Amino acid sequence: MMNMMDALTRLQWNHLFSNETLEASSLVTYESGTMLCSNNQHIESLFVVLEGRVKIYTLSEEGKLRLLRLKAAPTLIGDIEYASGRNVLHTVEAVGSVTCLRIPFEVLRRHNRTVEFTEHLLRGVSEKLFIEANASSNHLMSTLEERLAGYLISLSESGNELFQAEMSQLKRKEVAEWLGTSYRHLNRTLQAFVDEGLVTRTRKEVVILNSERLKERANGMFYE
């Protein structure tokens, strides 16, 4: 069982939260595929991701899912909603097991209005908005080859078991939608990577053979 204070100290975030805040918070572990929050949903808690990785995606103007980024601990989920008072901006899903400190917004408002936390919150929100604007622009201008190469490299850092789970044949239709393409086009592009010796694939798994060349093909289009 993870110790809350040990985890926060390891991440150097222990100074951000008051004792009263931590006493009123709960440690929660989510299984892979669990939605921490969904687009346009109303939430009343901040999620402090202490361990694991989440994927963040949104709906495009055409009503299709679009992957924004994969984010590893430590990170905050719900900070924009806490600061703005609005509903959830993007859907956040656990990739593998994810352990979070769940803090009710009301507790933060009552016990955690410190300068350190406010500055951390503002920096984080500003960075997310900048990354989102940049990612949207890059997504529109990038090719599928660049998006797929960047996704493979970003996902591979999650570990082989999670990588294979996300790239299994059953999940590739979702991956295609996140990357803004068809399942058939995704498979053609993946086969082109096979033909170039960048990856190998079977019905059950994909193996990266040349990560350096794959990074070059991504042309800076990463999802971290």
Side-chain angles (χ1 to χ4, degrees):
M1 182 72 176
M2 179 184 291
N3 181 282
M4 184 188 302
M5 282 306 302
D6 287 347
L8 288 171
T9 300
R10 184 180 71 252
L11 300 174
Q12 298 183 339
W13 280 17
N14 53 308
H15 66 289
L16 296 178
F17 305 105
S18 68
N19 291 332
E20 294 85 355
T21 296
L22 295 178
E23 288 172 2
S25 304
S26 56
L27 202 61
V28 186
T29 297
Y30 298 96
E31 295 181 354
S32 185
T34 302
M35 304 293 182
L36 276 66
C37 56
S38 300
N39 176 257
N40 209 33
Q41 176 189 39
H42 179 72
I43 61 169
E44 282 295 336
S45 294
L46 179 75
F47 298 89
V48 184
V49 181
L50 301 174
E51 190 173 82
R53 182 175 292 237
V54 297
K55 57 187 171 190
I56 303 168
Y57 50 92
T58 189
L59 284 171
S60 70
E61 293 181 358
E62 298 79 24
K64 296 182 178 180
L65 294 177
R66 181 167 64 81
L67 181 69
L68 294 176
R69 59 191 177 278
L70 296 159
K71 192 70 176 174
T75 189
L76 299 179
I77 303 299
D79 47 352
I80 294 177
E81 292 75 13
Y82 172 73
S84 67
R86 296 178 179 272
N87 286 347
V88 173
L89 188 59
H90 302 308
T91 297
V92 180
E93 179 182 335
V95 180
S97 178
V98 173
T99 299
C100 300
L101 179 63
R102 185 170 183 169
I103 309 174
F105 287 167
E106 182 55 37
V107 172
L108 289 172
R109 297 187 187 103
R110 187 182 304 160
H111 298 298
N112 219 84
R113 301 178 70 88
T114 63
V115 172
E116 291 85 356
F117 176 71
T118 302
E119 289 183 346
H120 184 88
L121 191 70
L122 289 174
R123 283 196 302 270
V125 169
S126 299
E127 181 180 355
K128 284 183 178 180
L129 293 177
F130 174 80
I131 290 173
E132 181 185 336
N134 192 49
S136 296
S137 176
N138 288 342
H139 188 89
L140 289 173
M141 295 186 293
S142 63
T143 66
L144 175 59
E145 288 186 352
E146 291 169 338
R147 296 196 298 275
L148 179 57
Y151 178 69
L152 291 172
I153 290 296
S154 298
L155 185 60
S156 67
E157 296 180 2
S158 300
N160 186 61
E161 184 177 345
L162 292 178
F163 178 84
Q164 298 306 340
E166 289 295 300
M167 286 309 298
S168 68
Q169 188 176 37
L170 290 174
K171 295 284 287 187
R172 286 178 203 166
K173 288 185 179 180
E174 291 183 21
V175 173
E177 188 168 5
W178 292 329
L179 298 182
T181 189
S182 67
Y183 176 70
R184 183 173 295 180
H185 195 185
L186 176 74
N187 274 328
R188 282 201 300 264
T189 305
L190 194 56
Q191 184 59 47
F193 286 172
V194 172
D195 295 341
E196 292 180 43
L198 303 180
V199 303
T200 62
R201 71 164 179 166
T202 66
R203 291 175 62 87
K204 294 183 178 180
E205 67 176 11
V206 173
V207 178
I208 295 176
L209 299 178
N210 194 323
S211 58
E212 289 306 313
R213 283 180 58 199
L214 203 58
K215 287 178 183 178
E216 291 176 4
R217 295 299 296 275
N219 195 27
M221 188 62 196
F222 301 112
Y223 289 90
E224 288 292 339

